[in-house]
Amino acid sequence: MADTHAPHHHGNRVEDRRLVTGTGKYAADWSLPGQLYACFVRSDRAHAEIVSVNAEQARKYPGVKRVYTGEDALAAGYTKYFVIVSYPGRGGKHIIKPPRPVLAARKVRHVGDALAMVVADTAVAAQDAAELVEVEYRDLPAVVSAEQALAPGAPQLHEEAPGNLAFDFESGNEEAAGAAIAQAAHVTRLKLEVSRVAPSPMELRGCTVRYDAADGTYHVHVCIQGINMMRKQLAAITDVPEDRIVVHAQDIGGSFGQRSAAYPEYVAQMMAAKELGRPIRWISTRAEGFASDTHGRANTVTGELALDRGGKLLGLRLDWISDMGGYLSATGSASHTRNPSTCMTGVYRIPALYGRFRLAFTNTVPVAAYRGAGRPDMAYVIERLVSQAAAELKIDPAELRRRNFIPKEAFPYKTPTGSTYEATDLHGVLERALKFADWKSFPARRRRSEKAGKLRGLGIATVIENTGAGLFPKDQVEIEATSAGGIDVYTVSQSQGQGHETSFGMIVAQTLGVPLERVRIRQGVKPLIGNHTGGSRSTAGAGSACKLAALKLIQQGKSLAAERLEVEPSQVEYAGGVFHTRGSKRKVTLGELAGKKPINVMAEGTFGPTFPNGCHITEVEIDPATGVTRIVAYNAVDDCGNVINHTIVEGQVHGAVTQGAGQIFGEQVVYDRETGQLLTGSFMDYCMPRAGLVPHVRMQDYPVPSVSNALGVKGVGESGCTASIPSLANAVMDALRPLGVPPVDMPFTPARVWHAISSAKQKSQ
Ligand code: MCN
């Protein structure tokens, strides 16, 4: 293990006072003079032709300015959408992107599909009038499962996509994996479903658009993950030049991948803002969010893992079917093809790999990246297969992993699916975690639980993931040192709760040797090149550029100080915000140098990807009488490279573990199979995790510094999801297996677990 340690900081986040005292500024806090209010008319059925939209009554409603329909969207030409996949799939075929008018025209494809927009003086008038819009539909049969959508005879969503197949992608070597499976002494097979979930950040989605006719600029105030990603998409959809779109945002109340997209509502608002000459505001309701904010995961995967008798992994083949919903989202197709395929070998040396990834259209809300974006899904499949294989071969699951890890000397490791893992220490992480979790004495704990009438299970997951490479070629950061001694740092990453003001502030403060209080992080206010916050890349990317910019500031300060102190720059030394001459007492502070004119420096770089990895060991206790599962121990050891701020890292892991636990034990978006109605459209039906679900998450850092960036960090924002999902599922299966329960899938609700136990008991009688 590496002994390099970045300076640790244990302390409160500097942004928290603002955020918890109600002085943050979120999408709904942008209130513009003269603004009008939009309300969307949404489809109440899953799949139908629109015969007519009669807005006559709505138009007459007091306060209504205009009602827009799909025909307006068609007339404006707003029918494209932005999809980040640019690579070909099987046989060189490209992804199919059928048109998507920003207001559905002629056809609706999911419950919640927006087909008209009412604009009025007040939000209430807009809502009242929206209820007066009469839509005549011709119902079509609906399909809400990806597997069924790809089956012959399924209802067709888009003419352009025969068989509802949006994209057919593959990775690895089909022949080699096939041969390995055909010849292996043992093959473990599982069919798994990574449920569709609703990310549900605390802040509701919202947007206010102002059009400035004087210079033809749209000002879009919206919840985002970064100004550049939003502007690029809006420009791509509307053909408005990027320099005529200004995106504004300050605080974001959570996103988890869901806020990166330029949703159709925003474009419809652009259309109205220009035509009506007034700002247009729209704030979603929670129910609208369930039916129109992108969902996450939604994969059905058949996996086959080939091993020899000694438990050596020989090959892995996956048939991966992803549900994309009614339309492609910006990120979903990449999240469910390239993202999972880059880490398909997991932490193991598997000589033969092959994955086929098919993306299907269904009559459901579009699916996009959700915390982990395909990597938790992949980790779930691999780690369930490995633990299942261990059980079948009667090998300790930690030992089976140990035997198959990519050995230390093999790093940097080129995987059979074409990515290159940077160095880590898999054995070190595992051994530390086994000790941390007291793995060896589990049998005693299991017996204790048994005495109390409970089933106890031990789960393990050893995972690795790639952090996002980013859409933009580099990350720029600008620093401005002012005469008052302040250090203003500008980035275009966008914290949604990750605490960048603290961690990026620390990077700059530590590089400059000044107190954190003097540094102010400002996101998205200067037009710089750089990536949005996503793919756990902000620290490696923008964070690295922060460090480079601070170093550049010292360099620049030295030459200014040399002039002021009348010496050669080489004679100037710097420490703690002060430049002084070597051996003499003459000095000048950064603030004094910035006296007349602030000092500005800009630094940039291309960083990443990084490969965070870890081992999470969990224990659950199941009450066989009720099927209720309790997580009784959670132990995480994570290698996220050098740690900038341990408290934030722990918070990130804790939050993501809770989201993983939510998915494993209850969260699931459910559609009615016949009608395509959304059955989980509120928190009354959709089971959000509560604080009591997750016990104290014990976490240890195991830093092996990255070499791909200036800080030696690896991303951590998603690790907790990637590791918790397989670890908790493996714990449940470990508790159930002794009863003869066959593989069960998420969500492990009390009903499902109870049924699994009862049917196993019946069979054994
Ligand atoms: N950090 C650190 N040391 C490291 C790595 C990270 O101190 N070695 C700190 C960072 O400086 C930063 C935080 O941990 O404050 C997360 O950093 P990083 O891993 O670089 O991830 P990003 O900042 O790019 O955040 C994105 C990631 C993603 S992709 C999702 S989804 C997600 C997540 O972060 N969504 C979140 N965490 C979230 N947390 C909150 N509260 N809300 C969301 O919407």
Side-chain angles (χ1 to χ4, degrees), residues 49-106:
E49 282 171 28
I50 301 173
V51 177
S52 66
V53 181
N54 180 352
E56 212 170 301
Q57 293 306 315
R59 281 196 186 98
K60 286 190 206 143
Y61 195 82
V64 169
K65 292 286 184 270
R66 173 96 155 81
V67 180
Y68 293 86
T69 68
E71 297 306 315
D72 294 300
L74 293 181
Y78 292 168
T79 59
K80 290 185 276 190
Y81 50 80
F82 182 90
V83 174
I84 60 179
V85 166
S86 56
Y87 42 87
R90 258 163 81 99
K93 272 203 180 151
H94 283 271
I95 191 165
I96 296 171
K97 300 184 224 176
R100 180 187 189 180
V102 296
L103 293 169
R106 296 170 201 174

Side-chain angles (χ1 to χ4, degrees), residues 472-610:
F472 295 86
K474 57 189 173 185
D475 287 299
Q476 296 181 326
V477 163
E478 196 176 313
I479 295 189
E480 184 168 294
T482 67
S483 59
I487 313 288
D488 288 343
V489 182
Y490 296 89
T491 84
V492 286
S493 57
Q494 188 85 36
S495 189
Q496 312 126 34
Q498 293 91 345
H500 293 169
E501 284 170 65
T502 305
S503 50
F504 289 8
M506 284 170 62
I507 293 165
V508 172
Q510 277 162 8
T511 310
L512 294 177
V514 300
L516 180 58
E517 295 73 48
R518 279 176 58 186
V519 180
R520 191 164 61 143
I521 303 295
R522 306 206 52 206
Q523 299 196 304
V525 290
K526 276 205 182 185
L528 297 165
I529 298 173
N531 286 287
H532 68 294
T533 287
S536 300
R537 66 172 320 285
S538 306
T539 314
S544 286
C546 282
K547 177 168 179 181
L548 299 187
L551 290 171
K552 207 161 166 185
L553 179 65
I554 296 174
Q555 250 359 80
Q556 188 140 326
K558 277 187 180 170
S559 41
L560 293 171
E563 268 173 47
R564 186 74 70 90
L565 304 173
E566 297 174 324
V567 292
E568 287 297 310
S570 60
Q571 298 299 302
V572 179
E573 289 180 357
Y574 173 84
V578 182
F579 298 91
H580 57 92
T581 57
R582 200 168 283 174
S584 100
K585 291 217 171 78
R586 281 189 296 152
K587 58 184 183 185
V588 58
T589 66
L590 201 50
E592 284 161 359
L593 280 180
K596 293 197 190 76
K597 175 162 113 2
I599 311 172
N600 281 78
V601 293
M602 208 259 274
E604 60 181 39
T606 304
F607 309 99
T610 72

Side-chain angles (χ1 to χ4, degrees), residues 222-235:
V222 58
C223 41
I224 53 169
Q225 291 182 207
I227 55 171
N228 288 350
M229 168 88 167
M230 182 57 71
R231 187 180 52 219
K232 197 182 182 69
Q233 296 175 79
L234 290 173

Side-chain angles (χ1 to χ4, degrees), residues 66 144 163 219 255 270 402 412 417 453-454 462 465 563 646:
R66 173 96 155 81
V144 296
H219 291 267
S255 171
M270 286 172 70
R402 202 182 273 127
T417 51
K454 304 278 167 57
T462 45
E465 59 180 336
E563 268 173 47
H646 178 79

Side-chain angles (χ1 to χ4, degrees), residues 13 201 225 252-258 369-373 375 467 493-504 507 532-541 640-649 651-652 656 659 712-719:
R13 304 191 315 170
Q225 291 182 207
I252 312 294
S255 171
F256 314 111
Q258 202 189 48
Y370 170 49
R371 205 169 191 171
R375 289 109 82 207
T467 62
S493 57
Q494 188 85 36
S495 189
Q496 312 126 34
Q498 293 91 345
H500 293 169
E501 284 170 65
T502 305
S503 50
F504 289 8
I507 293 165
H532 68 294
T533 287
S536 300
R537 66 172 320 285
S538 306
T539 314
C640 62
N642 290 331
V643 169
I644 306 295
N645 181 318
H646 178 79
T647 307
I648 290 185
V649 162
Q652 285 292 305
Q659 281 177 310
V713 297
K714 299 174 185 172
V716 77
E718 296 155 293
S719 319

